[in-house]
Structures are given as structure tokens and as C-alpha cells.
């Protein structure tokens, strides 16, 4: 490389600083707000600037760390060969430069084994991260590396669920993102061999999930929120891993729904019977809309607490909502309501809203470019021009100022400092940046036998956009779009007009496509733009004598009291005298602030009359000389025990256990067993990790409602093949007591 004398280099840096600080910020802008402005070749946010000097060079004075100041000008220059990728050109140099920067960063995230890894600081990749990235853009740019990376997340012909809360699967159950990514690769390549391989893997994994995390009564899938996997930020502090397993997250429902559709579509192409999966997907879609759609707020709930009540968290999970729009879980009216009524912040769509108080920033109080990308894509499905403009501006602003694709930013300032994890060139953020071009401006939508091209060009981006060298199955496409709007006036391929906007999957060779837009938008759109806000603190309720008592916090105006999931009282007091009861009861409190925002429900206070509860020692049914028993591959594979009850009816059953195979936040050794009553399979009991070598921390497992006959009942906990965790070798757990509680 040619070396410049020091004085010349200093002059160049000074010249760059002059350029950035002397930009003509009176030119026509793409986006304008009091927080920041986006111009055709620059971004201005207060005292910070970024400018695209060319499609391969951006400069910025945004400080990268505490040692930088406003006199430091930072540069991004293209150094990698990106000629094999689709080439993008437009009338907007800032777009061209960010696109090229993202492609270069994509190249830098390919390791020597031709596998994608997560970011500059993190080698390797999680199933959900690679999958979400492939869906957004990588199936278009790098289908072969995407295939290889997805196969790296397969073991024993099943998809790997990465380490996570309480030991990963089945607490975390969003690995089926893999199937959606695998399908997207088939759509872009038409590769039947890949389709056959992916179908087998998805079918095997689905079979396991239907046995363990599918709730046949609720018609919903259990498990932690997808992507939003930082337990203490997403859920109330009292909810531990077994509580999260028992909950029903919006994003996880959306993923399983789409995965079932994918399995059905793959099966039909391969001439397999898919009726079972179609029935389950139909039931799931119906249940999502019945149990998670909030008619008054016109958006979906974040999660449902459990299967034994209708209680939900009414925060918005905005990745989950985007997926509900993209996967057609929501109908057209719901889609419009979601994009129109979900709160967006000045710097973009938050991961969820409102934020959780007294909790660190990451997904909480965070904006993630990948979530923003899915929201932008979803906004095109509702023709919401305002939402698309706002979302594109958010993506441009962060990439240009930071000169990289960061993992997340603070919702209030959109600065990247202040979060515990925030690497440069984060893969999903790179894919999100590229999707702004592929999925929004050009509207690329890959189908089983054709490519649909539906551009959405906001008025502020009017002019000409080009993409060249786009590989689609056995063809190469050059696409030019002229004008603006979301409706096509004319569509030509190789100068021949087409009536529609679809390119056949059988097309071969190199072709040129010219699209002219109508220069109009279908309707006047709107968004709900607000400043960031927090929900009230989760109340801490406790039993004193025979009263439920909790503390009043600042700005809280009233409280709701729930018994067994049903609201029984709304009050301004902080004490509630419990009525005398002869049945088991669970009480929780919800606080509401002056802005009508709701807290999470408090930790349950359980009232269990002695004559309504039985507690048995597990060792009574094996070796009475022991203090507890071990469940493992070698011991008690089929643990049989008996319960005797005075009257027939419904009961809750749970177990005290100890699992010292790892921390509460990572590893992959969550134990689970199948519960059988006589010859009926009732569901899965989970025994999440409680801490390394913690064999004395006895905690309760999740509870399952079972029907018992009067007198003696035969039950068992069995290690089925579908109960094997992701570690496989170690599914051991210690269990001590069996608890039986009569329901109402």
C-alpha cells in the first residue's frame, strides 16, 4: 500500500473535517425531525455529522468511545472486493455507501470455514441469529454459505436450540426460525436436494416440539420470547425459568406458525401427507388471535402468563408483531392497526414498549437494527409510507454515524454506549441494512415458483434505483425502478411489457427489468410517534396476617387484584383483606400509573388450606432410606409413583428439584420428563438449571393440571427420547417432594 507523508495525511484528515462540518444542510432532506436529519449524502444529529463522500467512502465525527471528540474525523473506505454481490446504485449517495459498507462487513463476517459468525467480537453464531439474518437478506446474497451455516446448527438430524435461560431447550423454544430460513434459501435457489434435507430435519424437530412445548389445550407453544432472551429485561423478576416455560410468547407463536406452514409447503412439493401440520397451524393461528390480540389497544400482547388464566402482558413485542404481519397471522385490518397504533420512538421502533423500570439497557430501552428491519418490511405490507420513511431514516442514521452496523442502541438517545453487548458488524444488523434495499425499496418477495417484485419507494426517495447482478435461481437480473410510490405503472423485461410483476422461477440467463412507478401513494398513512416511556414497577405483594399488602410507588394511581387469574377488585388502597376460603387460591396485584400504563403482575401469593394439599416424598416409592431420588439415563428412567385422593377432580402437581448442571442464564442441561397418569400423556415437567453445582437449592418445577379419580392413581415420570436436552449426555436431576393441590 502506498504510504503518504505525515503532513499530507494530516492535511487529508483536516480536509475531511472541513468537508463534514461545511456540508450544505439546507439541501432537500430525506428525513427531518428535531432529533436528526437525513440528506441524500449526509446525516446531521446535533453536533454530530456523517457524509458519504462517494459510494465507497463515508466520514463521521461521531465519537466511537470516550477518548474521541468532535475534532476526530473517522473514515470508512471500501477495501474488500464485493463485485460478486448484487450492485446497488441510486440517486442517494448515502444509501449507496451504506449498502457497500454492509456488503464489506458481510464479507468480514465469513470465517475460514466459509461459515458466518455473529460479529467483530463474537465468533460462532446462534441458531436464531443466523436464521433471522438469512430470512432478511443472506438467502439472497450468500445462499451456499447460508446453507452451510444452517447445517452447522443441526445435530442428529434435529435443529439445535442454543444455550439459554435455565439451560436452553425447552425453556427457549425458538429454534424453528431455522426452518423459515431454510425455506427462504429454497425459494431463492430452487434447490430440491436442499429442500429434501431441510424437510427431514424440520419434521424431526417439529415432532419433538409438538410433544414437549405444544400445549394441546391452549393451542399455543410454550417458551421464552424469541430474540428477546434476556430474562430479567423481558419478564418480571419473580418469573424464573419454569415460569417462562409455562408462558406463551408472541414471537415464539409466530415462528412456530410459520414453521408449520413451511413444513406443509415442503411436504406438498415432496408429495408427503401434511394434513396434521395444517390442522395444528390453523388452530395455532386462531388461538393467537383469540388470546393475544388486544382489541382495545389494537396490537398483540407480549406474552400470556400461563395456561390456567387469561392474564397477559400488554407490552408490545415488536419483532413478534412484525412477524405476525409478515406471516399473515394478522388479517388486513389487524395489520393496519398494528403499524398505525404501535408506539414508535424518534429514533426508531423499540424492541418492546413500554420499557421495564430499574433494569439495565439492552433489549430493554433498546432499538435493534434487525428488529427495525423486520418492522420496515412489515410496514410495506400495510402500505404505510410514514412508517417506512421513519424506519429507513433510523437505519440510515445509525449506520452512517457509527460507520458500522451495531447490534443495538439506546432507545432514548440512539447512542450505542450504555449496553453490555454491542459489537461492530453484527450479522443480523448487516442483514437488516441490506433488507432495506431488497425487501423495501425493491420489494423482493420470493415464492415457490416465482419472484414477485413490488417496490415501495417513498416520495422522499424518488428518482432512480438500480440493482444489478441479482442472482435468482438460474437467472441473473438487472432491475431499474423509476419514480416513487407503491403502485406499478409499467413492468418490462428485456423491453417486453408484462401484465403483472412476477418473474418465473424457470427463467434462465441474464435479463433486464424496467419498472416505472405511478408517482403516487395509495393512501395517507400515519404512525403513533411518542417519546420513550416506562411501565410502573412490578408490585411486591405479601401476606401479613390474613391481608394482602403491597407498597405504593411513585406515579401509581390504582391497583387491580387478581384471584386465580380473574380480576376481583380495582382499588386505590395498598391492602386487601382476604376472604375466608377452603380452596387453593393464587393472588396477584397489578399497578396502573397516571398514563394508564400497567405493570407486570406481582409474584403470586398462594393460599393453600392444609386439607387441600398433599406433599409426598419421592423416595417412598423407591428407597425410603434415601432423602431424595435421582432421575438420569441410568437411574429411574421410568419413575413410578402412586397418589391417593379423597375425591375425583382436577389437581395441580409439581415437584421440588435440584439441578446444579449450570447457571440460570446459560448452558444446555435443562432436564425434563414426561408425566403420565395411567396410560395418558399429560405433558412435560421441566427442571431448569439453578446454578453450577447447586444441589441444595430445592425449587418447584412447573405445575401441570391433572384429573385424578377417587382413590389410588398410578403416575410416572418417564425419560422419553423427545425429553433429551441439547446436551443429550446429561439429563440428570434430583427430585425430593411431590405436591398435589386441589383446584377450584
Amino acid at each position: 500500500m502506498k504510504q503518504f507523508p505525515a503532513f499530507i495525511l494530516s492535511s487529508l484528515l483536516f480536509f475531511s473535517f472541513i468537508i463534514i462540518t461545511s456540508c450544505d444542510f439546507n439541501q432537500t432532506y430525506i428525513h427531518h425531525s428535531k432529533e436528526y436529519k437525513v440528506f441524500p449524502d449526509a446525516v446531521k444529529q446535533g453536533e454530530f455529522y456523517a457524509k458519504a463522500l462517494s459510494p465507497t467512502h463515508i466520514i463521521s465525527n461521531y465519537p466511537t468511545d470516550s477518548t474521541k471528540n468532535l475534532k476526530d474525523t473517522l473514515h470508512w473506505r471500501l477495501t474488500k472486493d464485493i463485485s460478486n454481490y448484487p450492485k446497488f446504485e441510486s440517486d442517494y449517495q448515502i444509501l449507496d455507501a451504506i449498502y457497500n459498507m454492509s456488503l464489506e462487513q458481510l464479507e468480514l463476517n465469513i470465517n475460514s470455514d466459509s461459515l458466518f459468525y455473529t460479529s467483530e467480537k463474537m465468533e460462532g453464531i446462534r441458531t436464531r441469529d443466523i436464521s433471522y439474518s438469512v430470512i432478511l437478506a443472506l438467502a439472497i446474497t450468500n445462499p451456499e454459505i447460508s446453507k452451510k451455516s444452517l447445517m452447522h446448527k443441526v445435530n442428529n438430524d434435529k435443529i439445535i436450540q442454543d444455550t439459554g435461560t435455565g439451560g436452553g431447550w425447552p425453556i427457549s423454544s425458538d429454534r424453528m426460525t431455522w426452518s423459515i430460513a431454510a425455506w427462504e434459501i429454497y425459494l431463492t435457489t430452487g434447490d430440491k436436494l436442499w429442500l429434501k434435507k431441510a424437510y427431514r430435519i424440520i419434521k424431526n424437530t417439529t415432532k419433538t416440539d409438538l410433544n414437549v412445548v405444544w400445549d394441546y389445550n391452549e393451542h399455543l407453544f410454550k417458551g421464552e420470547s424469541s430474540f428477546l432472551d434476556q430474562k430479567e429485561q423481558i419478564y418480571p423478576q419473580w418469573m424464573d425459568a419454569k415460569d417462562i416455560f409455562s408462558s406463551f410468547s408472541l414471537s415464539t407463536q409466530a415462528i412456530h406458525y410459520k414453521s408449520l406452514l413451511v413444513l406443509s409447503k415442503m411436504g406438498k412439493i415432496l408429495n408427503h401427507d401434511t394434513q396434521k401440520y395444517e390442522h395444528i397451524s390453523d388452530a395455532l393461528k386462531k388461538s393467537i388471535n383469540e388470546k393475544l390480540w388486544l382489541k382495545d389497544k389494537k396490537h398483540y400482547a407480549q406474552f400470556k402468563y400461563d395456561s390456567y388464566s387469561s392474564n397477559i402482558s400488554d407490552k408490545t413485542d415488536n419483532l413478534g408483531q412484525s412477524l405476525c404481519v409478515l406471516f399473515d397471522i394478522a388479517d388486513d385490518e389487524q395489520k393496519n392497526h398494528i403499524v398505525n397504533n404501535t408506539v414508535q420512538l424518534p429514533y426508531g421502533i423499540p424492541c418492546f414498549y413500554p420499557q421495564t423500570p430499574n433494569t439495565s439497557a439492552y433489549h430493554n430501552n433498546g432499538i435493534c437494527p434487525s428488529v427495525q428491519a423486520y418492522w420496515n418490511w412489515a410496514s410495506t405490507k400495510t402500505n404505510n409510507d410514514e412508517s417506512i420513511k421513519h424506519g429507513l431514516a433510523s437505519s440510515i442514521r445509525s449506520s452512517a454515524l457509527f460507520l458500522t452496523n451495531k447490534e443495538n442502541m439506546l432507545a432514548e438517545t440512539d447512542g450505542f454506549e450504555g449496553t453490555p453487548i454491542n459489537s461492530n458488524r453484527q450479522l443480523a444488523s448487516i442483514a437488516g441494512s441490506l433488507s432495506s434495499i431488497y425487501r423495501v425499496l425493491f420489494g423482493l418477495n420470493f415464492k415457490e415458483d416465482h419472484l414477485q417484485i413490488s417496490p415501495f419507494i417513498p416520495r422522499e426517495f424518488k428518482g432512480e434505483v438500480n440493482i444489478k447482478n441479482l442472482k435468482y435461481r438460474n437467472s441473473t437480473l438487472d432491475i431499474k425502478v423509476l419514480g416513487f410510490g407503491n403502485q406499478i405503472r409499467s413492468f418490462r423485461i428485456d423491453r417486453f411489457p408484462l401484465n403483472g410483476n412476477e418473474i418465473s422461477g424457470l427463467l434462465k440467463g441474464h435479463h433486464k427489468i424496467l419498472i416505472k412507478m405511478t408517482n403516487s401513494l395509495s393512501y395517507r398513512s400515519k404512525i403513533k410517534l411518542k417519546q420513550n416511556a416506562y411501565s410502573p414497577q412490578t408490585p411486591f405483594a405479601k401476606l401479613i396476617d390474613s391481608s394482602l399488602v403491597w407498597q405504593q410507588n411513585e406515579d401509581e394511581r390504582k391497583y387491580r387484584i387478581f384471584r386465580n387469574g380473574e380480576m376481583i377488585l380495582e382499588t386505590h388502597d395498598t391492602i386487601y383483606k382476604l376472604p375466608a376460603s377452603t380452596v387453593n387460591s393464587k393472588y396477584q396485584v397489578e399497578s396502573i400509573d397516571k398514563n394508564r400504563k400497567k405493570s407486570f403482575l406481582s409474584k403470586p401469593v398462594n393460599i393453600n388450606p392444609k386439607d387441600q394439599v398433599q406433599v409426598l416424598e419421592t423416595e417412598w416409592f423407591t428407597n425410603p432410606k434415601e432423602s431424595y431420588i435421582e432421575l438420569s439415563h441410568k437411574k429411574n428412567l421410568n419413575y413410578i409413583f402412586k397418589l391417593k385422593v379423597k375425591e375425583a377432580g382436577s389437581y395441580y402437581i409439581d415437584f421440588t428439584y435440584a439441578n446444579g448442571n449450570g447457571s440460570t442464564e446459560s448452558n444446555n442441561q435443562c432436564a425434563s420428563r414426561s408425566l403420565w397418569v395411567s396410560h395418558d400423556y399429560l405433558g412435560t415437567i421441566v427442571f431448569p438449571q439453578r446454578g453450577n453445582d447447586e444441589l441444595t437449592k430445592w425449587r418447584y418445577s412447573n405445575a401441570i393440571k391433572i384429573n385424578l379419580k377417587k382413590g389410588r392413581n398410578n403416575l410416572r415420570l418417564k425419560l422419553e427420547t423427545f425429553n433429551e436436552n441439547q446436551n443429550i449426555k446429561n439429563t440428570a436431576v434430583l427430585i425430593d417432594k411431590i405436591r398435589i393441590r386441589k383446584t377450584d
Side-chain angles (χ1 to χ4, degrees):
M1 182 181 290
K2 184 177 180 180
Q3 299 293 319
F4 291 98
F7 76 92
I8 295 179
L9 185 60
S10 298
S11 299
L12 287 172
L13 292 174
F14 177 75
F15 179 65
S16 297
F17 178 72
I18 292 297
I19 290 175
I20 196 167
T21 56
S22 62
C23 292
D24 178 13
F25 291 116
N26 292 315
Q27 62 183 310
T28 302
Y29 48 75
I30 297 172
H31 170 84
H32 177 275
S33 69
K34 67 177 183 180
E35 287 79 17
Y36 68 97
K37 299 179 181 65
V38 179
F39 300 90
D41 64 352
V43 173
K44 183 177 185 293
Q45 180 182 318
E47 55 195 352
F48 301 128
Y49 307 88
K51 181 174 176 63
L53 300 180
S54 75
T56 59
H57 187 189
I58 309 173
I59 57 176
S60 171
N61 74 336
Y62 195 94
T64 57
D65 54 53
S66 58
T67 64
K68 298 291 182 181
N69 58 62
L70 293 181
K71 293 183 179 180
D72 292 318
T73 302
L74 306 176
H75 296 252
W76 166 77
R77 292 185 177 87
L78 181 66
T79 59
K80 286 278 186 180
D81 180 9
I82 57 172
S83 59
N84 288 330
Y85 288 98
K87 183 177 182 180
F88 173 70
E89 296 175 319
S90 72
D91 294 337
Y92 301 87
Q93 195 153 268
I94 195 73
L95 280 179
D96 301 353
I98 290 173
Y99 177 82
N100 291 331
M101 180 181 72
S102 297
L103 288 181
E104 179 176 68
Q105 294 195 328
L106 188 59
E107 276 289 295
L108 291 170
N109 277 23
I110 301 172
N111 67 18
S112 58
D113 295 324
S114 294
L115 295 169
F116 284 118
Y117 58 85
T118 303
S119 64
E120 182 181 64
K121 294 179 180 178
M122 184 177 174
E123 296 184 2
I125 198 161
R126 293 174 294 185
T127 301
R128 73 174 68 92
D129 289 352
I130 182 60
S131 299
Y132 280 128
S133 302
V134 168
I135 296 164
L136 281 171
L138 305 190
I140 300 171
T141 60
N142 303 77
E144 294 306 316
I145 296 176
S146 294
K147 288 180 191 175
K148 191 172 180 180
S149 297
L150 286 180
M151 288 305 300
H152 194 63
K153 306 305 298 183
V154 173
N155 186 29
N156 292 336
D157 256 3
K158 292 181 183 178
I159 304 164
I160 295 171
Q161 180 73 50
D162 296 294
T163 61
T165 299
W169 188 86
I171 310 303
S172 299
S173 60
D174 69 343
R175 57 183 175 171
M176 301 314 294
T177 48
W178 191 99
S179 64
I180 308 170
W183 177 241
E184 200 65 32
I185 291 173
Y186 170 71
L187 296 180
T188 60
T189 64
D191 186 342
K192 284 288 184 66
L193 291 177
W194 170 251
L195 186 75
K196 291 178 181 178
K197 182 189 296 185
Y199 176 79
R200 182 180 68 252
I201 293 166
I202 297 166
K203 185 177 180 180
N204 290 340
T205 313
T206 300
K207 183 179 179 180
T208 297
D209 280 358
L210 288 176
N211 279 314
V212 178
V213 295
W214 171 246
D215 189 308
Y216 282 88
N217 294 315
E218 286 288 302
H219 291 158
L220 294 170
F221 282 89
K222 298 177 181 178
E224 187 171 30
S225 298
S226 180
F227 170 73
L228 303 176
D229 58 345
Q230 297 288 318
K231 178 186 78 67
E232 70 281 358
Q233 299 195 350
I234 313 306
Y235 298 94
Q237 295 294 308
W238 61 265
M239 285 183 72
D240 62 14
K242 53 93 174 173
D243 297 309
I244 292 172
F245 170 77
S246 299
S247 67
F248 305 96
S249 160
L250 177 66
S251 53
T252 299
Q253 309 313 311
I255 289 161
H256 281 283
Y257 173 76
K258 182 65 174 180
S259 180
L260 288 164
L261 289 188
V262 164
L263 188 57
S264 297
K265 289 180 179 180
M266 285 183 168
K268 287 180 180 178
I269 294 171
L270 299 172
N271 295 315
H272 295 300
D273 182 17
T274 63
Q275 191 173 29
K276 173 183 177 180
Y277 308 117
E278 292 170 18
H279 286 328
I280 295 174
S281 64
D282 288 345
L284 174 57
K285 179 177 179 178
K286 181 180 179 182
S287 195
I288 292 170
N289 284 308
E290 285 180 350
K291 297 172 182 178
L292 292 174
W293 178 253
L294 304 176
K295 292 182 180 179
D296 57 335
K297 293 182 176 293
K298 295 183 173 57
H299 64 68
Y300 285 105
Q302 180 189 18
F303 62 82
K304 186 173 184 288
Y305 280 88
D306 56 45
S307 60
Y308 308 125
S309 72
S310 59
N311 294 139
I312 51 89
S313 166
D314 68 355
K315 291 175 183 277
T316 58
D317 169 355
N318 291 323
L319 174 61
Q321 293 215 104
S322 299
L323 298 180
C324 285
V325 171
L326 292 169
F327 300 161
D328 294 321
I329 295 169
D331 62 28
D332 288 343
E333 183 179 7
Q334 287 173 308
K335 290 176 184 179
N336 287 324
H337 282 321
I338 289 168
V339 178
N340 291 347
N341 293 289
T342 296
V343 170
Q344 300 190 49
L345 305 180
Y347 293 106
I349 191 77
C351 293
F352 59 88
Y353 181 91
Q355 314 304 325
T356 304
N358 303 319
T359 302
S360 60
Y362 182 49
H363 294 141
N364 185 52
N365 195 22
I367 293 173
C368 290
S370 56
V371 175
Q372 182 70 65
Y374 276 101
W375 185 262
N376 295 349
W377 189 3
S379 296
T380 68
K381 304 304 180 185
T382 68
N383 296 317
N384 193 310
D385 180 58
E386 285 298 317
S387 185
I388 292 168
K389 287 189 297 184
H390 188 67
L392 290 176
S394 170
S395 301
I396 293 167
R397 187 209 73 89
S398 60
S399 295
L401 286 178
F402 304 159
L403 298 180
T404 188
N405 291 286
K406 287 283 190 181
E407 180 177 359
N408 51 54
M409 286 78 70
L410 292 179
E412 286 158 351
T413 65
D414 214 7
F416 57 78
E417 292 182 332
T419 60
I421 308 171
N422 204 341
S423 182
N424 293 334
R425 63 171 200 265
Q426 207 272 345
L427 187 68
S429 298
I430 294 170
S433 180
L434 296 173
S435 76
S436 295
I437 307 302
Y438 303 142
R439 302 299 193 177
V440 178
L441 296 184
F442 285 91
L444 302 182
N445 190 8
F446 298 89
K447 302 290 188 177
E448 286 95 323
D449 58 0
H450 66 272
L451 166 61
Q452 185 182 71
I453 307 176
S454 304
F456 198 118
I457 312 291
R459 184 188 302 271
E460 288 76 6
F461 290 82
K462 65 183 179 182
E464 179 178 323
V465 292
N466 288 274
I467 195 163
K468 299 177 181 178
N469 196 37
L470 177 72
K471 301 293 191 300
Y472 172 55
R473 299 193 178 183
N474 295 313
S475 64
T476 301
L477 306 177
D478 295 343
I479 306 172
K480 178 184 291 187
V481 181
L482 300 175
F484 73 90
N486 60 343
Q487 299 176 54
I488 295 172
R489 186 172 66 193
S490 65
F491 190 107
R492 291 177 176 268
I493 179 168
D494 299 328
R495 298 185 180 181
F496 295 99
L498 294 182
N499 291 328
N501 60 338
E502 298 174 354
I503 303 299
S504 170
L506 300 176
L507 191 68
K508 295 181 180 180
H510 197 144
H511 301 273
K512 294 185 177 181
I513 297 170
L514 175 63
I515 302 171
K516 293 182 180 180
M517 307 303 290
T518 60
N519 292 333
S520 63
L521 292 163
S522 57
Y523 77 101
R524 189 173 184 84
S525 56
K526 63 177 182 178
I527 60 175
K528 184 178 285 188
L529 190 61
K530 291 189 175 184
Q531 294 297 317
N532 200 22
Y534 289 79
S535 60
Q537 294 184 44
T538 305
F540 175 70
K542 58 184 177 180
L543 188 65
I544 298 179
D545 296 328
S546 59
S547 294
L548 196 65
V549 179
W550 60 95
Q551 183 178 357
Q552 183 171 16
N553 295 309
E554 187 178 357
D555 290 334
E556 292 176 358
R557 292 295 180 265
K558 59 184 177 180
Y559 304 91
R560 289 175 177 165
I561 301 169
F562 294 81
R563 178 186 174 274
N564 295 340
E566 299 296 327
M567 191 184 79
I568 58 173
L569 180 67
E570 188 170 278
T571 179
H572 296 279
D573 295 330
T574 57
I575 185 170
Y576 172 68
K577 177 75 172 177
L578 297 182
S581 177
T582 58
V583 298
N584 294 302
S585 301
K586 178 179 76 173
Y587 289 93
Q588 292 174 280
V589 180
E590 173 187 76
S591 60
I592 303 174
D593 68 13
K594 62 183 180 181
N595 297 314
R596 293 184 293 178
K597 290 183 173 58
K598 300 175 183 177
S599 72
F600 289 125
L601 291 178
S602 66
K603 182 177 181 179
V605 173
N606 293 304
I607 308 298
N608 298 316
K610 290 183 179 180
D611 62 345
Q612 296 295 308
V613 179
Q614 284 191 64
V615 178
L616 296 80
E617 298 289 343
T618 55
E619 65 273 12
W620 291 351
F621 305 96
T622 55
N623 184 356
K625 294 181 181 180
E626 300 292 336
S627 300
Y628 49 81
I629 69 167
E630 176 184 332
L631 304 181
S632 67
H633 278 93
K634 297 180 179 179
K635 296 182 179 181
N636 298 303
L637 275 75
N638 190 23
Y639 170 66
I640 299 172
F641 59 101
K642 301 179 187 297
L643 299 177
K644 186 176 181 181
V645 294
K646 295 179 180 179
E647 58 179 310
S650 295
Y651 294 80
Y652 290 123
I653 183 171
D654 52 12
F655 303 80
T656 59
Y657 78 96
N659 181 340
N661 293 322
S663 75
T664 60
E665 299 174 353
S666 62
N667 213 333
N668 59 358
Q669 296 178 55
C670 175
S672 72
R673 295 295 187 273
S674 296
L675 177 68
W676 294 77
V677 177
S678 296
H679 300 291
D680 296 327
Y681 171 59
L682 272 297
T684 298
I685 299 289
V686 294
F687 308 103
Q689 294 168 184
R690 294 297 310 172
N692 288 310
D693 300 321
E694 287 288 353
L695 300 179
T696 58
K697 284 188 175 180
W698 299 99
R699 295 291 187 275
Y700 278 106
S701 69
N702 62 307
I704 291 182
K705 183 184 284 188
I706 60 175
N707 291 320
L708 298 177
K709 64 184 180 181
K710 182 179 179 181
R712 184 170 294 180
N713 295 262
N714 297 317
L715 293 88
R716 55 186 166 134
L717 286 176
K718 187 178 180 181
L719 177 60
E720 308 279 4
T721 54
F722 54 74
N723 291 125
E724 291 181 337
N725 58 28
Q726 300 300 281
N727 182 273
I728 297 175
K729 294 180 180 179
N730 188 1
T731 61
V733 64
L734 306 179
I735 61 172
D736 185 22
K737 300 182 188 302
I738 306 166
R739 182 172 64 170
I740 307 294
R741 292 171 291 164
K742 186 77 170 64
T743 66
D744 287 349

